[in-house]
Amino acid sequence: MKQKLGLACTLVRPPQLLVLDEPTVGVDPLSRRELWQIVRHLVREQALTVLMSTAYLDEAERADRVVVLQGGRVLAEDAPESITRLAAGRAFALRPVAPDNARRLQARLLASDALIDAVPDAGAVRSVWRQAESALAAGAAAVTPRFEDGFMVLLRRTLAPEMHGEIVLAHPPAASSGPVIEVADLLKRFGAFTAVDRVSFRVARGEIFGLLGPNGAGKTTTFRMLCGLLTPSAGVLRIGGVDVRAAGDAARAQLGYVAQKFSLYGPLSARENLEFFASAYGLRGARRRARIDWALRQFELMQADGAAADLPGGFKQRLAMAAALLHEPRILFLDEPTSGADPLARRAFWRRIAALADQGVTVVVTTHFMQEAEYCDHIVIMDAGRVLAQGTPAEVRARAPREGERDPTMEDAFIAVVEQARAAETAVVAGAA
Amino acid sequence: MRAEVSDAAHARLARVRTLVRKEWRQMIRDPASIAMGVVLPVILILLFGYGLSLDVKNVPLAVLDQDGSALARGLIGGLQLSPYFQPRPVASLRAAEALLAARRVDGILTVPQQFARRARAGGAVVQLVVSGTDANTARIIEAYVNGVVAAWAAREAPALAGPVRVQSRLWFNEANDSRYFLVPGLIVLVMTLIGAFLTAMVVAREWERGTFEALFVTPVRAAEILLGKTLPYFALGMVGLVLCVLAGRFLFHVPVRGSLAVLLLGSMLYMLVAVGIGLLISSAVKNQLVASQVTLLATFMPAFMLSGLLFDLRSMPAPIRALTYVLPARYFVALLQTTFLAGDIWSVIVPNALALLAMVAVIALVLGAITRKRLA
Amino acid sequence: MLAALLRIAALTRKELLAVLKDRRTRLSLLVPVLVQTLVFGYAASYDLNRVPYVLWSRGAGEAATALVARFDGTGIFRRVATVSSEPALRAAIDSRRALLALELPPDFSRRLAAGHPATVQLIADGRNSNTASTALGYAQAVIGSFNASWQAAHGQGAPPVRLSTRAWYNPNLLTRWDMIPGLIGTLTLLQTLLLTAMSVAREREQGTFDQLLVTPFRPVEIMAGKALPAMLIGLAQASGVLLVAQLWFRIPFEGSFAVLYGGIIVFVLAAVGIGLVVSALSYSMQQAMLYSFVLLMPFTLLSGLTTPIANMPRALQYFTRINPLRYAIEIAQRVYLEGAGLKLLLPDLWPLALIAAVTLSAASWLFRHRLQ
């Protein structure tokens, strides 16, 4: 909404050039689509020139020309189709065979030298290979390349793939029976306004659970209740079998929390931040030292000197995650962890999350990135405080109407689900009137 | 050609008007601005008008009469009649000193034995002990007691009372009411608060949020941006001025002996300086917290302590006196105290107004240069 | 219990690191306090040491010369003009060139020589009536001493009565002696209050507050962790002012440092308590700052530092009883100048302790109930 208003202000007096600096960071798919419709309309009707920077590659694909920048240098300047063509004949999809899932398959594929890139997509793993032969040998099916594939090919020419992301837990959480998180008829009212309206879901151990929804859907409120930052007005909320309302301390001891802005103490160094959070979680003596060492090593923070505020974004994100994992929680909460991050940082982040989940940590994440929902085992789509859809990504995707050849993406499903719900709501209101 | 020029001028005027309207709306819808621009000034007016006073009245004074004569009683009677004292007879010096140590009285007046006999011959001594923990009050008490004693001497023993008699007059403030100079001082503080403090804080917030930069990419010119920013706070400051003058005149009965025109013009000049300083500080630090602290230290505190509002500038050490010459509050205090109490005295008004005008010019030049540089 | 103490210690350490690591913040906590102590120590004084005066002597003579010589000899009165008409005298005062005018009548010397009294006129510029009254007092004293020596020299006996004044605690009645001890509390309050008031809002704005709340920290522990560093910084600032008072201005210290520090600690507790209440009620730093200023204005103006509390109307005098600064200033001045011990200070200490107790418990209640 703010972005739309900002755009409108700039356009009151129609300019010839419109400069947009990452206009869609932190914006949900619905609003993003509306913003793009306005921009496209202006380009067509008013012959406006638009210069836009973005870390979202599906947006870059809609441009007439793109400039790819890396480390301050121009890697390419061309039409998006030409960049997409770099991956021609090398893009494949590989379906996981049960009980394997797309995420684990992706992790295995990435460990191989034969691949340039792999991401879970629509139930399969979308991958770009160095040689088409090896892909075919692995049983992958060729797919039409898209911009992101070409972009990764371009990037891999200069950048070696990072090997980080292999988090090894010192003491993985013990197996448990029953759900780790149990939410039933959760309700939160602020005065007359109902922010969260009878939400129910369960999360099992070692799952990645995604909370999706447009801005203002109530996912942040739900999230804050899960972390014990807000008291629910009504409903059941159990973390590890403990009622959060009755025993907040016991529930909180089991969870780690990474806030949206990577809440770190800016003036303190990485080590000082870790030392503080270690003490905050009551770690002492040898265990404290061991945990801080573990965090510095596993999250590659050894060489992070100086104030946390001056660290690059990727370092900050790793430091925030490390701080949240110091006390070896069973559950990790992440609030829009990849908002504004570039494609490479996003991949590295998800590899870490996947590794944590595989070792038994339960992960709850909110995101605006529908593609990223594919990494989750289960997702919930919320709007206006209510759950509109939930299930595995495949189940939710199935709710999108099929148009032509293309398999519906998670973004299609999201938009369809939210618009259906809003239309029904309007119909009810109209009927009442 | 001429039509083009007037078109351009028109466009400019329209832009400034739009900017001013935007700033004004922003200002009156922002609770922080309202608190700073209206609530704090009202608190200040009430505190200054009612709370601050250097007028010593009803001083509790222990009186020890060791003489007991009619003459001594006459002297003490003089104290009782004075509105400045509340004499409290004590029986012994020990008792009196205990009262002073416990702060129940502010001083001890001792009329010694043989006072009447010595007074008739000349050379009697009355002893006053004051507590120096508040030196200014102590000195005022001493002066008042001195006055009572001198009046008594002139009445009882005119022949011996000393050859030089003093008739003293306090021009511009015959009643010696400290509100007369505190209320004009209050205007300086209120205008500093609104002009410098509020502007610095609000504009620093705009820097923080990036809305100031957004203005720079619009076709608005540097001078127009500055004008648009300045005018609303300028107007709010004028509202503060009117409030203060009205409160001063009708609530606290401070006379306005000069012309309102001079008062208004002088205040406008100071307001421009204050807003300019606020803009300068905010564009230098661009951070609300730092801006507010710098403004507090650089404008508000000096306006209170180093402007001549309370403390006499002439008696400060040379380096500090030199420092006061670069503080705009100094000139505004002189101008206001004169306009309020003494009238339109051009020998004071003109140099002080010129000093303020020079400051406006310098600040405008610096601001213009900074803004243009950012636009380029 | 031990776990809670360790957590509080960790938070205190973190707060101190965050404040003191940055060179700019470090300087901003120390330099303004020292500069203000120095500047106000010199500037904030009601004492006059330079009184420009204008002389209108309407008749020459021995007595007139002697009186003027006495004025010029004080070192305080400086003759800026000698005029010969009333408009010229008026102009000198109007234009603020002179603070005081001394007018001697035409027959002044003649009357004195003949043994008759004569009346001189003293006119002061009342635009700052406090300064003017002080100057008039000085001038009266000069004339009094002239009278005594004239009477002695001319065999006219002594004046019937002379007032001999002795000032306890501050023999020369220097404003600085009471102003600088008063600054210990004033300057400490300004920054301690602001620092604690913003401590929670800053974390809210930076997003670290949620992070803190999901850790095992209890609200009261967070409060203690915020209070301790602010107290330490407040004590350090108070000590800075004290050092300047001792080493630079060399104001005689009559009491005991233990008593003074005892008073300062109770005062800093009260200041921190108020700051914490503000901090629990504010959602943004700007809000915290506004609340603080709205409190600081009456606290400083109605503290008795610049104008005496006894001069205020009764209602405001009652208000000063909940003003912690009032007690801090009284304690500092009395320990410093009067050498007051604990017993004499009890009437100041218990209200301060009460304010600290009330605000700290209010803050802990607010921290427990309003921090979400």
Side-chain angles (χ1 to χ4, degrees):
Chain A
M1 234 30 212
K2 262 193 218 155
Q3 275 85 352
K4 269 192 267 175
L5 183 62
L7 187 58
C9 288
T10 327
L11 296 175
V12 170
R13 181 182 170 280
Q16 288 172 304
L17 174 68
L18 183 61
V19 182
L20 299 170
D21 186 12
E22 303 208 32
T24 50
V25 168
V27 175
D28 65 73
L30 275 166
S31 314
R32 214 145 63 96
R33 202 178 55 165
E34 284 173 40
L35 200 76
W36 267 97
Q37 277 165 357
I38 300 173
V39 169
R40 233 183 266 130
H41 172 82
L42 286 166
V43 171
R44 224 178 20 242
E45 305 287 314
Q46 315 229 357
L48 183 75
T49 307
V50 177
L51 179 65
M52 176 171 164
S53 66
T54 184
Y56 297 157
L57 298 179
D58 56 328
E59 288 182 354
E61 196 164 9
R62 301 180 213 186
D64 295 315
R65 287 180 71 73
V66 293
V67 177
V68 180
L69 289 166
Q70 165 70 41
R73 292 208 340 265
V74 174
L75 292 188
E77 184 181 351
D78 218 330
E81 298 78 38
S82 325
I83 290 172
T84 307
R85 234 173 319 196
L86 291 174
R90 295 202 268 175
F92 293 89
L94 202 60
R95 296 219 161 256
V97 186
D100 211 3
N101 63 17
R103 203 172 67 222
R104 255 168 252 141
L105 178 60
Q106 177 218 11
R108 261 206 324 280
L109 286 175
L110 279 178
S112 140
D113 272 346
L115 271 87
I116 289 174
D117 186 35
V119 283
D121 180 45
V125 174
R126 188 183 186 92
S127 46
V128 183
W129 298 67
R130 292 188 199 282
Q131 249 95 45
E133 296 77 40
S134 38
L136 292 167
V143 289
T144 326
R146 57 186 181 195
F147 183 76
E148 186 160 352
D149 302 331
F151 176 85
M152 291 307 291
V153 172
L154 191 62
L155 230 56
R156 284 283 176 256
R157 283 181 187 166
T158 50
L159 278 174
E162 321 74 31
M163 284 323 294
H164 52 58
E166 289 310 315
I167 297 288
V168 181
L169 291 179
H171 312 91
S176 65
S177 59
V180 174
I181 300 173
E182 194 183 351
V183 173
D185 291 323
L186 190 65
L187 189 79
K188 181 69 190 177
R189 284 202 194 90
F190 295 103
F193 171 67
T194 308
V196 173
D197 192 2
R198 283 160 297 160
V199 166
S200 307
F201 56 80
R202 288 162 166 234
V203 186
R205 175 184 175 273
E207 248 187 8
I208 301 181
F209 187 84
L211 217 50
L212 280 56
N215 302 81
K219 50 184 198 311
T220 304
T221 309
T222 308
F223 203 73
R224 289 173 61 85
M225 285 192 280
L226 290 176
C227 301
L229 291 170
L230 267 182
T231 319
S233 307
V236 177
L237 181 48
R238 281 182 209 281
I239 302 277
V242 182
D243 187 341
V244 174
R245 284 204 282 180
D249 286 353
R252 272 189 296 164
Q254 306 182 48
L255 61 91
Y257 171 67
V258 180
Q260 196 175 347
K261 286 190 286 180
F262 316 137
S263 317
L264 300 164
Y265 293 101
L268 272 60
S269 70
R271 182 178 272 278
E272 284 163 344
N273 266 292
L274 289 174
E275 282 170 352
F276 168 67
F277 282 110
S279 304
Y281 284 116
L283 303 181
R284 260 185 273 162
R287 173 139 189 260
R288 183 169 181 270
R289 274 196 304 279
R291 290 308 295 161
I292 292 173
D293 276 351
W294 174 85
L296 288 170
R297 245 179 310 111
Q298 293 288 329
F299 286 87
E300 293 162 76
L301 295 163
M302 290 298 202
Q303 64 275 50
D305 300 322
D310 304 331
L311 293 174
F315 268 89
K316 277 188 200 162
Q317 194 204 46
R318 291 197 320 256
L319 179 53
M321 264 177 79
L325 287 169
L326 275 173
H327 59 301
E328 303 182 83
R330 300 169 63 192
I331 311 165
L332 185 62
F333 287 95
L334 301 126
D335 195 5
E336 297 197 17
T338 52
S339 183
D342 65 73
L344 289 180
R346 287 204 296 264
R347 280 168 171 72
F349 167 81
W350 279 107
R351 290 196 63 193
R352 280 208 174 77
I353 293 300
L356 286 172
D358 281 343
Q359 291 170 76
V361 176
T362 309
V363 178
V364 179
V365 65
T366 66
T367 184
H368 279 319
F369 254 112
M370 291 308 127
Q371 249 185 24
E372 290 183 352
E374 301 283 357
Y375 285 100
C376 300
D377 296 299
H378 282 93
I379 57 172
V380 155
I381 294 181
M382 289 181 72
D383 190 33
R386 281 175 304 139
V387 172
L388 301 185
Q390 65 174 307
T392 63
E395 285 162 5
V396 172
R397 235 182 298 111
R399 294 187 52 171
R402 204 181 174 87
E403 289 170 28
E405 285 293 288
R406 199 166 57 95
D407 279 339
T409 62
M410 188 58 82
E411 183 148 349
D412 299 330
F414 177 86
I415 291 172
V417 164
V418 171
E419 281 186 340
Q420 275 164 25
R422 287 188 180 175
E425 180 76 10
T426 319
V428 169
V429 171
Chain B
M1 189 67 198
R2 175 160 299 173
E4 263 171 45
V5 169
S6 99
D7 265 3
H10 239 177
R12 253 188 122 152
L13 206 65
R15 280 201 298 260
V16 173
R17 210 180 308 136
T18 316
L19 267 179
V20 170
R21 199 176 305 136
K22 176 215 132 208
E23 296 290 338
W24 178 259
R25 281 193 186 138
Q26 212 173 333
M27 186 176 78
I28 58 172
R29 280 177 202 168
D30 175 19
S33 294
I34 292 304
M36 274 272 164
V38 182
V39 178
L40 268 186
V42 168
I43 293 179
L44 268 181
I45 290 174
L46 296 178
L47 285 182
F48 260 69
Y50 290 116
L52 299 198
S53 165
L54 288 164
D55 307 329
V56 176
K57 274 193 189 114
N58 299 323
V59 178
L61 193 67
V63 179
L64 178 62
D65 183 0
Q66 295 175 326
D67 187 45
S69 65
L71 267 183
R73 280 201 299 278
L75 178 67
I76 293 164
L79 281 178
Q80 260 149 1
L81 287 177
S82 155
Y84 302 120
F85 299 106
Q86 270 182 342
R88 178 171 176 171
V90 287
S92 72
L93 193 61
R94 280 256 309 273
E97 289 186 344
L99 285 176
L100 186 63
R103 300 200 145 188
R104 307 279 293 279
V105 296
D106 287 347
I108 307 167
L109 186 74
T110 312
V111 183
Q113 286 169 7
Q114 318 254 317
F115 167 78
R117 197 174 56 76
R118 288 210 185 116
R120 278 190 207 97
V125 175
V126 183
Q127 205 186 54
L128 173 70
V129 175
V130 287
S131 162
T133 312
D134 181 350
N136 190 51
T137 303
R139 201 153 37 211
I140 295 172
I141 293 172
E142 182 192 4
Y144 287 165
V145 174
N146 225 334
V148 171
V149 170
W152 175 86
R155 204 167 57 238
E156 294 293 329
L160 289 173
V164 181
R165 311 282 161 81
V166 177
Q167 189 196 20
S168 57
R169 295 188 53 198
L170 210 53
W171 274 4
F172 315 126
N173 188 356
E174 302 287 347
N176 197 354
D177 184 346
S178 61
R179 269 187 200 162
Y180 277 31
F181 68 93
L182 290 176
V183 167
L186 157 73
I187 294 179
V188 179
L189 292 187
V190 166
M191 297 188 66
T192 308
L193 194 71
I194 298 175
F197 205 80
L198 184 56
T199 313
M201 241 180 72
V202 172
V203 178
R205 189 175 50 184
E206 293 211 8
W207 279 112
E208 274 178 12
R209 294 185 182 166
T211 44
F212 215 65
E213 261 154 331
L215 263 186
F216 282 132
V217 290
T218 59
V220 185
R221 296 207 190 139
E224 296 166 3
I225 294 178
L226 289 180
L227 216 58
K229 281 275 160 216
T230 315
L231 280 178
Y233 295 102
F234 184 83
L236 194 63
M238 287 298 132
V239 173
L241 171 78
V242 172
L243 271 182
C244 290
V245 173
L246 288 178
R249 185 74 197 78
F250 297 105
L251 221 49
F252 309 129
H253 309 291
V254 176
V256 185
R257 298 192 174 118
S259 58
L260 283 175
V262 172
L263 190 65
L264 205 64
L265 284 172
S267 307
M268 285 170 138
L269 275 178
Y270 181 72
M271 199 62 207
L272 284 177
V273 178
V275 173
I277 291 177
L279 285 173
L280 271 182
I281 290 176
S282 57
S283 67
V285 299
K286 298 187 185 122
N287 169 311
Q288 277 185 80
L289 189 63
V290 184
S292 70
Q293 295 209 334
V294 170
T295 321
L296 190 71
L297 281 177
T299 64
F300 195 77
M301 288 302 230
F304 192 50
M305 300 295 234
L306 300 174
S307 63
L309 186 160
L310 272 181
F311 308 110
D312 194 53
L313 293 175
R314 289 167 285 219
S315 292
M316 292 178 186
I320 293 179
R321 226 174 331 136
L323 176 73
T324 64
Y325 282 97
V326 297
L327 299 174
R330 175 204 167 105
Y331 304 101
F332 191 41
V333 166
L335 200 146
L336 274 184
Q337 286 184 347
T338 299
T339 316
F340 261 89
L341 303 178
D344 292 342
I345 291 165
W346 301 112
S347 57
V348 175
I349 291 165
V350 172
N352 285 303
L354 281 178
L356 288 176
L357 195 65
M359 287 186 169
V360 173
V362 170
I363 290 171
L365 281 177
V366 175
L367 272 176
I370 292 177
T371 322
R372 256 193 302 279
K373 205 162 117 196
R374 230 177 292 272
L375 281 176
Chain C
M1 192 61 203
L2 179 67
L5 286 179
L6 284 174
R7 280 196 295 267
I8 294 172
L11 188 54
T12 308
R13 179 167 174 270
K14 177 230 106 186
E15 294 278 322
L16 283 175
L17 268 178
V19 171
L20 299 179
K21 263 193 104 174
D22 181 33
R23 202 174 63 92
R24 279 216 320 223
T25 334
R26 218 161 47 218
L27 287 180
S28 82
L29 284 176
L30 199 64
V31 173
V33 169
L34 295 182
V35 169
Q36 287 184 77
T37 314
L38 280 173
V39 170
F40 297 158
Y42 281 117
S45 170
Y46 292 111
D47 312 332
L48 303 179
N49 49 42
R50 212 175 265 105
V51 178
Y53 83 101
V54 52
L55 174 69
W56 183 19
S57 180
R58 296 161 71 184
E62 184 208 349
T65 315
L67 181 63
V68 172
R70 202 169 268 270
F71 264 88
D72 291 342
T74 54
I76 291 174
F77 291 95
R78 305 200 171 178
R79 188 153 21 120
V80 290
T82 309
V83 298
S84 51
S85 73
E86 199 193 330
L89 179 146
R90 181 169 281 280
I93 296 266
D94 277 353
S95 65
R96 296 172 67 113
R97 271 182 71 209
L99 175 60
L100 201 71
L102 172 64
E103 182 198 334
L104 305 180
D107 54 356
F108 178 76
S109 299
R110 206 158 5 98
R111 281 185 71 91
L112 253 64
H116 296 302
T119 301
V120 301
Q121 180 142 240
L122 281 173
I123 297 162
D125 172 3
R127 271 170 280 191
N128 182 331
S129 53
N130 190 61
T131 304
S133 305
T134 307
L136 281 176
Y138 288 177
Q140 303 250 20
V142 171
I143 289 172
S145 82
F146 171 82
N147 272 346
S149 58
W150 181 269
Q151 280 174 310
H154 294 79
Q156 291 171 353
V161 57
R162 187 167 61 79
L163 183 71
S164 129
T165 307
R166 207 152 48 82
W168 277 11
Y169 318 128
N170 185 355
N172 296 317
L173 289 182
L174 296 173
T175 317
R176 185 179 297 160
W177 281 27
D178 59 70
M179 191 62 82
I180 291 180
L183 287 178
I184 297 178
T186 313
L187 297 181
T188 307
L189 177 72
L190 283 179
Q191 294 216 335
T192 318
L193 185 59
L194 274 175
L195 204 67
T196 32
M198 297 210 213
S199 60
V200 172
R202 185 181 301 126
E203 293 221 20
R204 275 191 217 274
E205 285 191 9
Q206 291 169 351
T208 46
F209 200 63
D210 283 352
Q211 198 80 59
L212 215 52
L213 288 179
V214 297
T215 63
F217 270 111
R218 291 207 181 80
V220 175
E221 294 166 15
I222 297 180
M223 188 185 102
K226 298 271 166 198
L228 267 174
M231 281 192 66
L232 290 177
I233 289 169
L235 281 175
Q237 291 186 323
S239 308
V241 182
L242 190 64
L243 277 178
V244 176
Q246 289 292 108
L247 302 178
W248 184 262
F249 290 109
R250 296 188 178 277
I251 295 167
F253 188 86
E254 298 292 335
S256 105
F257 283 104
V259 172
L260 182 62
Y261 269 95
I264 293 177
I265 288 173
V266 183
F267 167 65
V268 172
L269 267 174
V272 165
I274 296 172
L276 286 172
V277 169
V278 171
S279 132
L281 292 175
S282 339
Y283 291 92
S284 69
M285 282 160 87
Q286 195 186 37
Q287 216 179 355
M289 201 152 59
L290 274 173
Y291 288 153
S292 307
F293 279 126
V294 168
L295 286 174
L296 281 172
M297 289 282 172
F299 279 170
T300 47
L301 288 176
L302 301 179
S303 64
L305 184 69
T306 46
T307 65
I309 289 169
N311 297 0
M312 295 169 192
R314 198 139 291 274
L316 287 179
Q317 288 196 31
Y318 285 125
F319 167 80
T320 64
R321 296 204 183 154
I322 57 160
N323 180 359
L325 187 54
R326 168 214 168 126
Y327 302 108
I329 289 173
E330 257 174 30
I331 290 171
Q333 288 178 340
R334 298 191 66 183
V335 173
Y336 230 104
L337 302 176
E338 301 174 15
L342 278 178
K343 206 173 146 220
L344 272 177
L345 293 176
L346 218 53
D348 290 319
L349 281 170
W350 75 257
L352 209 47
L354 189 68
I355 295 172
V358 169
T359 53
L360 285 172
S361 14
S364 77
W365 188 88
L366 286 170
F367 265 69
R368 263 178 288 128
H369 292 91
R370 288 221 28 180
L371 279 196
Q372 290 190 340

